[in-house]
Amino acid sequence: MRWVTAIGEAFLAVPFIGGIFVMSTGYSALGVMFILHAITLVLAIRDHSAKSGSILGLATSAFAWIPFVGWFLHLVTAVVLVFQAVLSRPRYY
């Protein structure tokens, strides 16, 4: 789920394209991302893994309607989620 939310956040962080997409959906894309981040947070709690990316994603979804703040928050959240997804991969020995 981290990869799904990271890809979604990265798409929304693309200048102009992400903003146009959010506005064309009537800002419901932010609601969908909020729900996806909430699901990811529940899974992280269940698996005892990093939660900060999902929490940051929830905050991003709440404040992303602010034009330039939203772009920056999407970008930071995407980077954090990618790092967490890479670092939390199961290791097979």
Side-chain angles (χ1 to χ4, degrees), residues 14-30:
V14 176
F16 300 110
I17 295 173
I20 289 170
F21 179 75
V22 168
M23 289 188 295
S24 70
T25 62
Y27 293 90
S28 64
L30 299 178

Side-chain angles (χ1 to χ4, degrees), residues 62-80:
F63 295 109
W65 57 271
I66 304 169
F68 293 102
V69 173
W71 167 79
F72 180 74
L73 289 173
H74 285 303
L75 184 64
V76 170
T77 303
V79 170
V80 169

Side-chain angles (χ1 to χ4, degrees), residues 17-92:
I17 295 173
I20 289 170
F21 179 75
V22 168
M23 289 188 295
S24 70
T25 62
Y27 293 90
S28 64
L30 299 178
V32 170
M33 288 304 295
F34 187 89
I35 292 168
L36 290 175
H37 286 299
I39 292 169
T40 306
L41 179 61
V42 169
L43 294 174
I45 291 170
R46 184 193 69 182
D47 295 340
H48 302 287
S49 62
K51 300 163 201 59
S52 57
S54 299
I55 294 168
L56 183 60
L58 292 170
T60 297
S61 297
F63 295 109
W65 57 271
I66 304 169
F68 293 102
V69 173
W71 167 79
F72 180 74
L73 289 173
H74 285 303
L75 184 64
V76 170
T77 303
V79 170
V80 169
L81 285 167
V82 166
F83 276 120
Q84 287 182 349
V86 168
L87 294 176
S88 69
R89 289 191 330 217
R91 293 184 174 91
Y92 302 103

